[in-house]
Amino acid sequence: MFVVMAGTASEAEVLGVKSAILAEGLTPYDHAGPDRTVIAVVGEMGVRKPALVERLAALPGVTAVTPINSPFKLTSRAFHPERTVIRVLDAVIGDGGLTVMAGPCSVESRDQLFDTAEGVAAAGATILRGGAFKPRTSPYSFQGLGVEALRYLAEARERTGLPVVTEVMEPSQVDIVAEYADILQIGTRNMQNYSLLTAVGRVARPVMLKRGYGATIEEWLMAAEYIVSSGNPNVVLCERGIRTFETYTRNTMDLTAVPVLQGLTHLPVIVDPSHATGKRRLVEPMAVAGIGAGADGVMVEVHPRPDDALSDSEQQLDLPMFRSLMAVLVPIHAQLRRLREANTASQVPDAASRAEIAAGRDRAATSAAVPR
Ligand code: PEP
Ligand code: MN
């Protein structure tokens, strides 16, 4: 249940409600919004519930006690109506800007990573990706360079200024990955690895949680709930395709999940058209589609020589392809953002704002990050 405090409630009144909840052996999580504080009460209440509702509702400073109808609570919009904005170094995720995570599937060598990092940074990527510990379907495939790759990633961050995202596969790796990386990635195969989710919930690094390839949206949000309820509010959701009967593409990108999630949760959502499609020629159209669906950004795999890549060779873009993608994505995102913001301001834009939008389109087209 949620305890909704009055806008005028004092800190002492909020504390009073939290101690009453703790005294019942339940856990309070409070969110101080711009207008009021909401306290989520989490834990098994059983038959005590009606009496507890009554008792909490009578406490000073409480406006209402409302049931939570969804199994996810802290990740829900009902608890936290404003969107979560995550800042990491100079990158901001979820503020309406375009997040572009780009880099190789696997870090293969210092030179391969630096060539990619410098290329994607120059083209306007905002975050550098690169796998150090690789979850491979076959035990005989390249498994990643491990800690050596983490060191290269940290060096690449120094050279480019881009924050680094990389996958952590097990709880015992969390500390070392958090020491070198800025964002911890949980891969599709680990979305329901609850000890790993709890472990990344305890570190002070944002987490990018990829959707399990067989997971429903609710299961995905419940996985995010593990991280947030363990103490880490900075979670980015990444739609990377789900398994369907279709075999032409590696997975099926569930674009509908993007607007569905944006209604259900305050967490930022990005799409990964590389793993979703498995084919480099499909990456650009599906990245555009993801932004069209309202995603906060994209993750794409980029390699200086994709044909020589040690993993996911068929889906990695080369640098010229990445530059072309950016030349399309940046102005489309800017234009959509302008249109959507104008629509929010006045449901139907008037003639003056339509003219402004049209002028903005010309400006966006010329000021976009044009490939070098
Ligand atoms: C990755 O992004 O490196 C990766 C392995 O992706 P996924 O977990 O989505 O397969
Ligand atoms: Mn990959």
Side-chain angles (χ1 to χ4, degrees):
M1 66 178 91
F2 290 134
V3 181
V4 182
M5 303 300 294
T8 51
S10 67
E11 232 171 85
E13 286 169 337
V14 172
L15 271 177
V17 173
K18 286 170 76 176
S19 356
I21 295 165
L22 282 167
E24 289 290 330
L26 301 166
T27 313
Y29 292 89
D30 56 319
H31 169 62
D35 309 323
R36 57 183 195 180
T37 293
V38 176
I39 304 169
V41 186
V42 175
E44 269 323 317
M45 287 168 226
V47 292
R48 296 179 283 173
K49 200 167 174 178
L52 193 59
V53 170
E54 226 173 276
R55 202 140 46 78
L56 292 174
L59 290 177
V62 174
T63 299
V65 178
T66 57
I68 311 177
N69 296 320
S70 65
F72 46 92
K73 305 172 195 310
L74 309 183
T75 55
S76 74
R77 279 247 169 174
F79 175 60
H80 187 304
E82 321 80 45
R83 312 238 11 235
T84 287
V85 176
I86 299 175
R87 288 166 212 281
V88 44
L89 301 185
D90 290 339
V92 187
I93 311 170
D95 68 337
L98 175 66
T99 294
V100 179
M101 303 184 180
C105 177
S106 305
V107 176
E108 299 169 2
S109 70
R110 202 165 178 270
D111 286 350
Q112 171 251 12
L113 179 65
F114 289 3
D115 288 353
T116 320
E118 277 159 12
V120 298
T126 58
I127 295 172
L128 176 66
R129 68 148 282 145
F133 297 99
K134 293 303 300 177
R136 304 307 302 281
T137 302
S138 164
Y140 309 119
S141 302
F142 176 61
Q143 304 285 313
L145 296 180
V147 177
E148 183 185 345
L150 294 179
R151 289 199 202 101
Y152 297 153
L153 284 165
E155 260 188 83
R157 171 183 52 226
E158 297 313 310
R159 286 168 86 112
T160 60
L162 296 184
V164 159
V165 56
T166 195
E167 179 162 353
V168 52
M169 286 173 51
E170 48 179 277
S172 65
Q173 292 168 348
V174 169
D175 287 345
I176 184 94
V177 176
E179 189 181 323
Y180 288 99
D182 304 292
I183 303 175
L184 308 183
Q185 174 173 327
I186 303 293
T188 194
R189 295 159 188 82
N190 270 320
M191 190 207 81
Q192 286 179 310
N193 180 338
Y194 298 118
S195 49
L196 181 59
L197 299 176
T198 307
V200 297
R202 294 194 180 124
V203 295
R205 290 270 181 271
V207 174
M208 184 174 75
L209 178 65
K210 298 191 94 176
R211 181 180 187 173
Y213 55 74
T216 63
I217 290 172
E218 186 172 303
E219 287 164 341
W220 189 9
L221 285 173
M222 292 311 284
E225 193 81 13
Y226 265 88
I227 302 171
V228 179
S229 66
S230 302
N232 189 343
N234 295 318
V235 179
V236 182
L237 301 167
C238 175
E239 163 60 41
R240 50 78 69 203
I242 50 174
R243 188 163 283 182
T244 67
F245 54 79
E246 181 55 68
T247 55
Y248 183 78
T249 47
R250 185 174 178 184
N251 292 287
T252 297
M253 190 159 148
D254 181 10
L255 280 172
T256 317
V258 175
V260 167
L261 284 168
Q262 291 188 330
L264 295 176
T265 181
H266 49 88
L267 299 174
V269 182
I270 68 160
V271 294
D272 168 359
S274 303
H275 291 91
T277 65
K279 293 187 169 151
R280 74 175 61 94
R281 139 180 121 67
L282 302 179
V283 169
E284 180 189 307
M286 296 316 287
V288 168
I291 294 306
D296 296 286
V298 300
M299 168 182 266
V300 293
E301 288 189 337
V302 183
H303 191 289
R305 292 165 306 281
D307 291 341
D308 300 336
L310 297 181
S311 58
D312 288 350
S313 158
E314 288 179 20
Q315 71 194 33
Q316 303 207 56
L317 304 183
D318 60 17
L319 284 161
M321 283 183 90
F322 179 68
R323 289 191 280 264
S324 312
L325 167 68
M326 290 299 281
V328 170
L329 212 52
V330 170
I332 286 180
H333 172 269
Q335 177 66 350
L336 276 173
R337 183 179 184 181
R338 220 169 270 121
L339 288 165
R340 285 176 173 145
E341 284 173 1
N343 270 349
T344 316
S346 62
Q347 277 310 313
V348 179
D350 57 17
S353 55
R354 277 201 302 274
E356 231 175 75
I357 291 161
R361 178 181 52 210
D362 293 337
R363 276 200 301 279
T366 47
S367 66
V370 176
R372 279 178 235 170

